[in-house]
Structures are given as structure tokens and as C-alpha cells.
Amino acid sequence: MVTLKEIAQLCNVSITTVSNVLNDKPKVSEETRKKVLEVVKETGYQPNFFAQGMRKQKTRMIGIIVEDLDIFSTSPIVEAIMAYCDDNNYRTLLVNMRLYDKWQDTWYNNEKDIQSVFQPNIQELLSIKVDGIMYVAGHCRYINYFKKDFEVPVIIVYALSTSAQFPSVIFDDDKGGYDITKYLLAKGHRKIGVIAGTPDNIHTQKRCFGYQRALFEENVLFNPNWIKHGDWERGSGYIKAEKLVKEGVTAIFCMNDLMAAGAYDYLYENNITVGKDISIVGYDNNQISEYLRPQLTTNNIPMKEIGRTAAEYFIKLIENEIGPNERQDVIKLTCDMVIRDSVGSV
Amino acid sequence: MVTLKEIAQLCNVSITTVSNVLNDKPKVSEETRKKVLEVVKETGYQPNFFAQGMRKQKTRMIGIIVEDLDIFSTSPIVEAIMAYCDDNNYRTLLVNMRLYDKWQDTWYNNEKDIQSVFQPNIQELLSIKVDGIMYVAGHCRYINYFKKDFEVPVIIVYALSTSAQFPSVIFDDDKGGYDITKYLLAKGHRKIGVIAGTPDNIHTQKRCFGYQRALFEENVLFNPNWIKHGDWERGSGYIKAEKLVKEGVTAIFCMNDLMAAGAYDYLYENNITVGKDISIVGYDNNQISEYLRPQLTTNNIPMKEIGRTAAEYFIKLIENEIGPNERQDVIKLTCDMVIRDSVGSV
DNA sequence: TAACATAAGAAAATCGTTTTACCTAAGATA
DNA sequence: TATCTTAGGTAAAACGATTTTCTTATGTTA
């Protein structure tokens, strides 16, 4: 690996001069500049990453912390962030906390355990002196553990920073629930059941709110018995679908595609045809939604866009290109419906 | 951030001594060692990453190069690699070459373009002085571009290094094709069609070989008309299934689950019941295989295990813990079948 | 002409580690 | 007693860049 020193020798100039050329400093004659650049190109010089990092404050590295890469939403977001950073000449350092404990098939719950996972991971990033940290939240539950005072900028992606301490990029759950319900109402449905997520979950709550808002707007009475809470997994979709069918609903709004698949399972077993006898809508636009039969009408969460938007805003933040009046604490993206074949008219 | 110097001052010893303590060097009295460690703990000292990197040859960083994270097989492998590295106190630096060009919806084909993507990405990793490079190949096509002389160890994951220049971790395609065919034969099928992958693909070829080997073993005549080549996508499964049905086969071995889903599409449209009128087997154990109806019998590629095995072997390699007779150029993992509901007996 | 300003560049300090070479006192050996 | 070891430690060099300070020749102004 060729160093500044060697280039300086080849050009008969000092190390300082070479450095000045490479950093576009003024005190160099045109002639010298040309010669140095030529030698630099010839030798294929690459600045030593560590030496540079030691001197400069900026490393052009962005740390990405994720709770678990196996969460459905995490990978596409991370990919989009990485792609944008790459295009803008930033390196990324991905730290996977793996909060999902495979051996116990459960998420970390114990407060102390969680802290013990958070601390070292964050410390590590800071010791590498990243220029900023992007926290991709999957589970809202953990976000509150992320509240240290950092000497670098921080952004929360996919979930709202409850303390409003950090800027966030999220999507509009309320509109999602509203759109789906309006759509079903427009198709003539009046008895619309919901297979919701876990009750304390913020997504669940906001989507429920959108659901009720739509009903209210159309003067359709809200029946609390038609909301059943699942656990986001396929199995709970099966169980809750059975209950809702017995309630006599004509359409079911499932708060993710996995539970919608569970609902399909129940309906198939009982010879109830989706899209004809009953209508189903999902949420997420998970890959599987295209493989269910009939293909599932759902609400697309624009993961890639969320990642890209977050990265774009964040890099501006790091580079101080955001004026005080452009500053946004929450950037909210909208989800649009993907109409497929699982909804019929009544 | 606290430095060695400050700790030295607090302890009334030299910087050297502190460094010696931290690096388990011998020339320190037990008393001094104790005092230093105490202060280190108190202050929460973390060695400066850059200063350390500059001095040591090893950075405890492993570079992972992937062709495209969007390839189905790539993410789980990368995750497993990262997890293992993490557990062994190595950091990973993921470089996504993004060879899949979204705007043109096509892969890079032009030789020059590919080179222009490979070069800078690899150069970057080397400038950070990673301790080694793991190349996670998705597309066998690109592997040949990866043949530079590196000053660090290299391993190829998921595909065979054709030049045999680097060690590889792969899985047994031949056995996969063989097992599936044997299974179908055991179920009484004699007319077994194949929806293969692209003809020049190494996976296609090896699986075909396994298929023929099984037929031969059971004295079943091989009919070349029953092998149709698809392009690994859903649509081609649809098209080829039609042809095979017209050939009168009773079972179809699809070389990935996506094409199997395409076959399902055709069969469903034509009221042919999968698992009864015709049997289908896939390959990959893609998530979607559990959501097709009936659930797809397929062959599981152990992505996580591939990643883990590769990382384990590679770290040993880096740390020179592999004796000359333990050295393996190819580590081949086996795939096992996942029996679900898409195969019936004749 | 003397004092000063400026352009172009060089020397040296610096970042925080690790490593090499050197030092000193105490005990061992010839 | 003179020399050699050794344990325990220190000072200084090195890694490769950036940054600050210093130098010199030339041109400008009073």
C-alpha cells in the first residue's frame, strides 16, 4: 500500500503539499497540483482509513442498529438505507442486536437483559466513532431503552421516538386503517370485523382509530365485539377468524398478512370462499400476499421508501444542511392499498 | 473519551505499562495490574478503534461482499455469518454490490460494467484492512470476476469457486435432485417431469444429474422431453407446467419454490388438484412454500447453517488454527426434504 | 531603501495505540 | 568482588494522515 510519504518523495515535494492537494487546500501552485495528482493516479493511492479516522472527526461511517434482522420489516429498510448511503459515499456499519432469542423462541423481556444487550452494542458503535446512528426499530417495545445522550446525531426509523428526543421516520397507520375500512364500506360491507395486533401496540391502536374514523364518517355503528386481538402470527388469524365468522361479519380487516393467511386457513377448512362468501384485507404487503389464493388485497408499507427517506434526511442532518426551519421531528409516509382479489361486493 | 495516557496518569505508571496490562503482556507485577484494571473499569475505557487499527495488523473486522441482498438466499446467509462473527467478537462490514439493476430490471451483463462494480467495492474493503473477505455468491455467473490476488484470506459461500482458488462452502445439489426423485419414485410415480432452472446454471445441472441417477437406479427410463427449462421465476413455472401436463406426467419436480407456485397457478386454473391429480415438489424451502395450498413438499437449503459453517471455518482460517491436513477446499452441506402435502401416491 | 505582505511550500506536532529499545535495582553466579 | 540475569518498568519510535507553525523568495508600499 502506497503512502503519502512515498508520493511526496516521487514528486520531490513535502508530505504537507501532497495532503494539501488531496484535500483541495489553496496553498499549492497549479503545476505542483498537476504533478501530484498524476502520481496519485499512477500509484493508485488510497488514503489509510485508520490514519484518516484518527485525525478527522468525520469517518463517513453511519452505524445502523437493528433489533433483529429477522423481523419482516427490517431487511428491506436496512437495504434501502445502505443503498442510499452507498450512493452518497458513506459506509455503513450494521449492528444486529438479535433481541429475538431463538433458543427460547421469545423476545427479551427482562429489563436487565435488554439493557445488557443495548449497552455494549451502542458502545461499540461509538468507539468506532461513526458519524451518526440510525436505529431501525421493529418492536416499539424496545425503543424506550434507546435514550442515551449521544455525541452524534441519531434518527429512529419505522417507529416513533416516544420521548420525542430523536427525529423519526414512520408511516401513517391511521390513514392505513381508514383507507381499508373506507374501501370495504364502498364495496357495501357494513359488518366489518378486525383481527387486530397485540392491544398495547401503537400500530394496532392507530389502525383501530382509523377504522373507527371511517365507520363514523359513514354513519356505521361501531361494534366492539368485532375487534379481536391476535398476536401477529398465522395461528391467531385462524382462531380469531372463526370467532368473527360466528359474529356474522362479511369482511375482515387483518392487521398483517400473516394473520390474514391464518384466516384463509380457517375459511378454507370450512368451505367459505374468500372474495365471495367473505372478504379479507391484510396489511404489510408481505411477499406471501401474492401467493395466497385468491391473492390478498392489502396495504403496502413502503419499506424501501422509509429507508431511503430516513437515510436522505439523516445525511443532510449530519452534514448540517438542514436549516432550523426545515427541521422535522416526524416524517410520516403514507401507505397505499394494493388491490388484489380477496374482496368482493355485497 | 478516556485514553491510555489519562489512565497512566491516574495510576502513576507509564503508558506502556497500561498497554501491557490490557494486552496481557508479562512484564507487569500483580499489584500494578490490579490497580490499572481497576481504573480501566472505573473510567469505562474503550481502546480507540483507529489508533489500534493503525498499529495492529488485525482489525477483527471481516468484510462480507454480496452480489445483491435482494437475492432470496443472501439475507439468511449473511445473518448467520454476522451472528457467528458477533459471538466471536469480530465485526463485519457488509458491502452490497447491488448487481441487480432495478431500473432496467436486469442483472449486469456487460463485462466492463461488472468489473467497474467489483473493483471499487473490493478496493474499499482492502483499504479498511479487513482481516478477511467472505464472498456470498448468489449468481454463479459473477463468481469468476472475483479472482484478484488478495493479501487477506478469502472464502466463497454458497457457490463453488470454479478456479478452485478459494475454499468454498456449498450444498449438495446432486443429492437434492436424487432425494426428491427417489421420494417420488417411492410414491409410485414413473412419469416425473422437471421444471429446471436456466440450462447453463450449475445448480440446474447437478440437480438434473441427481434426478437421472435416481431414475437409473430404479430402472426407470429417462425421457428428455420431460425436462423443461424455466428462468427461476413464477411465470415460467406456469408455462412449463402446462407443457408437462400435456406430456402426461404424474409428478413435477420444480427446481425452486417460485416456479412451483407458478405450476400451482396453472393447475388451479385448470382444475387439476395438486397432491391428488398431480404431485409437485419444490426446492429451497422458501417462506412461501408454507402458504401455498396444499403446502408444498420441498427440499430445504440450510441457509443459516451454510452461513454459520462458513464463518466458523473462516475465522479458524484467519486465526491460523487450521492445520495443513484439516484444510478443506470444499465444504458441502446436505439438504433434507421437508415433507408437506403436495405429493400423493399413484 | 526599509518595512511589510503574500504565495508556495516545508518542518514539526498531533491523534492514541503498540512495539522496540533502553534502564535500574535486586538477586544469582563465578 | 565483579559480572550476569531477571523482574518490572520507562522513554521513545512508529503507524499514516491532518493541522499548525515556521521559512523563504518575491513583490508591494511608504
Side-chain angles (χ1 to χ4, degrees):
Chain A
M1 280 282 167
V2 53
T3 69
L4 273 195
K5 197 172 166 187
E6 299 174 63
I7 293 190
Q9 280 165 354
L10 285 174
C11 296
N12 279 320
V13 295
S14 71
I15 295 181
T16 313
T17 301
V18 179
S19 173
N20 283 339
V21 169
L22 291 173
N23 290 286
D24 272 328
K25 294 282 163 68
K27 304 202 284 187
V28 184
S29 73
E30 201 45 50
E31 194 186 358
T32 316
R33 178 184 306 277
K34 221 170 243 167
K35 190 168 60 179
V36 169
L37 285 177
E38 199 175 307
V39 176
V40 163
K41 182 158 279 179
E42 264 175 31
T43 53
Y45 166 80
Q46 290 270 113
N48 181 294
F49 175 73
F50 297 101
Q52 230 171 24
M54 210 158 118
R55 288 293 322 193
K56 293 192 180 183
Q57 280 303 341
K58 310 283 166 183
T59 56
R60 290 196 86 81
M61 271 201 142
I62 290 179
I64 306 176
I65 297 189
V66 308
E67 292 167 356
D68 205 300
L69 265 179
D70 276 330
I71 303 173
F72 151 69
S73 53
T74 300
S75 315
I77 292 178
V78 168
E79 268 168 52
I81 291 176
M82 283 184 161
Y84 188 85
C85 288
D86 213 45
D87 290 341
N88 288 272
N89 204 18
Y90 274 87
R91 268 176 278 258
T92 54
L93 198 66
L94 177 61
V95 174
N96 184 4
M97 292 196 286
R98 290 183 287 152
L99 285 180
Y100 187 80
D101 186 339
K102 258 121 210 157
W103 292 273
Q104 295 186 44
D105 193 30
T106 174
W107 292 81
Y108 283 104
N109 274 307
N110 180 307
E111 166 116 11
K112 207 167 163 193
D113 286 351
I114 298 177
Q115 284 292 10
S116 75
V117 172
F118 263 71
Q119 246 351 81
N121 281 313
I122 295 174
Q123 210 51 52
E124 168 156 340
L125 276 186
L126 293 177
S127 90
I128 295 196
K129 288 223 175 52
V130 291
D131 292 351
I133 295 180
M134 304 185 73
Y135 181 99
V136 180
H139 250 254
C140 314
R141 179 156 31 115
Y142 296 115
I143 204 173
N144 295 322
Y145 292 94
F146 191 74
K147 57 188 171 197
K148 211 167 155 298
D149 262 343
F150 298 98
E151 62 256 51
V152 294
V154 168
I155 199 171
I156 310 283
V157 188
Y158 195 74
L160 201 59
S161 163
T162 40
S163 60
Q165 198 179 357
F166 307 117
S168 305
V169 175
I170 58 173
F171 59 93
D172 195 339
D173 276 303
D174 172 68
K175 175 179 176 293
Y178 175 84
D179 283 354
I180 287 170
T181 313
K182 280 291 245 189
Y183 177 75
L184 290 171
L185 289 166
K187 289 279 186 181
H189 295 279
R190 287 298 174 271
K191 296 179 177 176
I192 303 174
V194 177
I195 301 180
T198 39
D200 53 341
N201 183 282
I202 185 112
H203 299 293
T204 301
Q205 290 171 6
K206 288 193 183 169
R207 289 173 202 175
C208 273
F209 186 79
Y211 162 77
Q212 290 183 50
R213 194 158 59 86
L215 290 182
F216 183 76
E217 229 177 70
E218 305 271 338
N219 288 313
V220 176
L221 209 63
F222 167 65
N223 183 341
N225 287 331
W226 292 347
I227 296 193
K228 307 288 182 196
H229 289 279
D231 62 0
W232 306 107
E233 299 293 335
R234 186 177 187 174
S236 69
Y238 182 101
I239 295 166
K240 304 303 175 181
E242 178 170 15
K243 301 207 164 153
L244 287 172
V245 165
K246 289 187 174 144
E247 292 275 349
V249 302
T250 64
I252 302 178
F253 159 28
C254 304
M255 288 204 185
N256 72 3
D257 294 344
L258 254 55
M259 293 193 296
Y264 269 54
D265 291 338
Y266 172 77
L267 299 169
Y268 179 78
E269 272 183 23
N270 292 275
N271 283 316
I272 304 171
T273 308
V274 175
K276 226 178 75 193
D277 304 333
I278 200 166
S279 292
I280 304 279
V281 180
Y283 209 109
D284 282 353
N285 196 22
N286 189 314
Q287 185 200 15
I288 64 162
S289 59
E290 280 189 277
Y291 290 89
L292 297 173
R293 194 177 333 271
Q295 294 195 9
L296 182 65
T297 290
T298 188
N299 206 31
N300 180 55
I301 304 179
M303 304 296 181
K304 296 269 177 189
E305 205 189 327
I306 289 174
R308 219 200 82 96
T309 306
E312 192 178 346
Y313 182 80
F314 192 59
I315 285 179
K316 274 193 198 151
L317 207 69
I318 286 178
E319 296 179 347
N320 284 315
E321 280 181 7
I322 294 192
N325 39 0
E326 284 173 279
R327 195 166 212 94
Q328 283 178 277
D329 280 341
V330 178
I331 299 175
K332 197 185 276 183
L333 301 181
T334 58
C335 303
D336 292 310
M337 287 190 70
V338 181
I339 308 297
R340 297 207 184 89
D341 315 317
S342 60
V343 173
S345 306
V346 289
Chain B
M1 282 280 167
V2 52
T3 68
L4 275 195
K5 197 172 165 187
E6 299 173 62
I7 293 191
Q9 280 164 356
L10 285 173
C11 296
N12 278 322
V13 295
S14 71
I15 296 181
T16 313
T17 300
V18 180
S19 173
N20 282 340
V21 170
L22 292 172
N23 291 286
D24 272 327
K25 293 283 163 67
K27 304 202 287 187
V28 184
S29 74
E30 202 45 50
E31 193 186 358
T32 316
R33 179 183 306 277
K34 222 171 240 167
K35 189 168 59 176
V36 169
L37 285 177
E38 198 175 307
V39 175
V40 162
K41 183 159 277 179
E42 264 175 29
T43 53
Y45 166 80
Q46 291 270 113
N48 180 294
F49 175 73
F50 297 101
Q52 231 172 21
M54 209 156 117
R55 288 293 324 193
K56 292 192 180 180
Q57 280 305 340
K58 310 282 166 186
T59 56
R60 290 196 87 83
M61 272 202 140
I62 290 178
I64 306 176
I65 297 189
V66 307
E67 292 167 358
D68 205 300
L69 266 179
D70 276 330
I71 303 173
F72 150 70
S73 54
T74 300
S75 315
I77 293 179
V78 167
E79 267 167 54
I81 291 176
M82 284 183 160
Y84 188 85
C85 288
D86 212 45
D87 290 341
N88 288 272
N89 204 19
Y90 274 87
R91 268 178 276 258
T92 53
L93 197 65
L94 177 60
V95 174
N96 184 3
M97 293 197 284
R98 289 184 288 153
L99 286 180
Y100 187 79
D101 185 340
K102 260 128 211 148
W103 293 271
Q104 295 184 44
D105 193 31
T106 174
W107 292 80
Y108 283 104
N109 273 308
N110 179 308
E111 165 116 11
K112 209 167 162 191
D113 286 352
I114 298 176
Q115 283 292 8
S116 76
V117 171
F118 263 72
Q119 244 355 81
N121 280 313
I122 295 174
Q123 209 52 52
E124 167 155 341
L125 276 187
L126 294 177
S127 92
I128 295 195
K129 289 223 176 52
V130 292
D131 292 350
I133 295 180
M134 305 185 74
Y135 181 98
V136 180
H139 250 255
C140 315
R141 181 158 25 116
Y142 295 115
I143 205 174
N144 294 322
Y145 292 95
F146 192 74
K147 59 188 170 197
K148 212 168 155 295
D149 263 344
F150 297 99
E151 62 256 52
V152 294
V154 167
I155 197 170
I156 310 282
V157 188
Y158 195 72
L160 201 60
S161 165
T162 41
S163 59
Q165 198 179 356
F166 307 118
S168 305
V169 175
I170 58 173
F171 58 94
D172 195 338
D173 276 302
D174 172 68
K175 174 178 178 296
Y178 175 85
D179 283 354
I180 288 170
T181 312
K182 280 291 244 187
Y183 177 74
L184 290 171
L185 289 166
K187 289 280 185 177
H189 295 278
R190 287 299 173 270
K191 296 178 177 179
I192 303 174
V194 178
I195 301 181
T198 39
D200 53 340
N201 183 283
I202 185 113
H203 299 292
T204 301
Q205 290 170 6
K206 289 193 183 167
R207 289 174 201 173
C208 272
F209 187 80
Y211 162 78
Q212 290 182 50
R213 195 157 61 86
L215 291 182
F216 183 77
E217 230 178 70
E218 304 272 336
N219 287 315
V220 176
L221 209 63
F222 166 65
N223 183 341
N225 287 330
W226 293 347
I227 296 192
K228 307 289 181 194
H229 289 279
D231 63 1
W232 305 106
E233 299 294 334
R234 186 176 188 175
S236 69
Y238 182 101
I239 295 167
K240 305 303 176 182
E242 178 171 15
K243 300 206 166 156
L244 287 172
V245 165
K246 288 185 175 147
E247 293 274 349
V249 302
T250 63
I252 301 178
F253 160 26
C254 304
M255 287 203 186
N256 73 2
D257 294 343
L258 254 55
M259 294 193 296
Y264 270 55
D265 293 337
Y266 172 78
L267 299 169
Y268 180 77
E269 271 182 26
N270 292 274
N271 283 316
I272 305 171
T273 308
V274 174
K276 225 180 76 193
D277 304 332
I278 199 166
S279 293
I280 303 279
V281 181
Y283 209 109
D284 280 355
N285 196 22
N286 189 314
Q287 185 200 17
I288 64 162
S289 59
E290 280 190 279
Y291 290 89
L292 297 174
R293 196 176 332 270
Q295 293 194 11
L296 181 66
T297 290
T298 187
N299 207 30
N300 179 55
I301 303 180
M303 304 295 181
K304 297 267 177 191
E305 205 189 327
I306 289 174
R308 217 200 84 96
T309 306
E312 191 178 348
Y313 183 79
F314 192 59
I315 286 179
K316 274 193 200 152
L317 207 67
I318 286 178
E319 295 178 348
N320 285 316
E321 281 181 6
I322 294 191
N325 39 359
E326 284 174 280
R327 194 168 213 93
Q328 283 176 277
D329 280 340
V330 177
I331 299 174
K332 197 186 277 185
L333 302 180
T334 58
C335 303
D336 291 311
M337 286 191 70
V338 181
I339 307 297
R340 299 208 184 89
D341 315 317
S342 59
V343 173
S345 306
V346 290

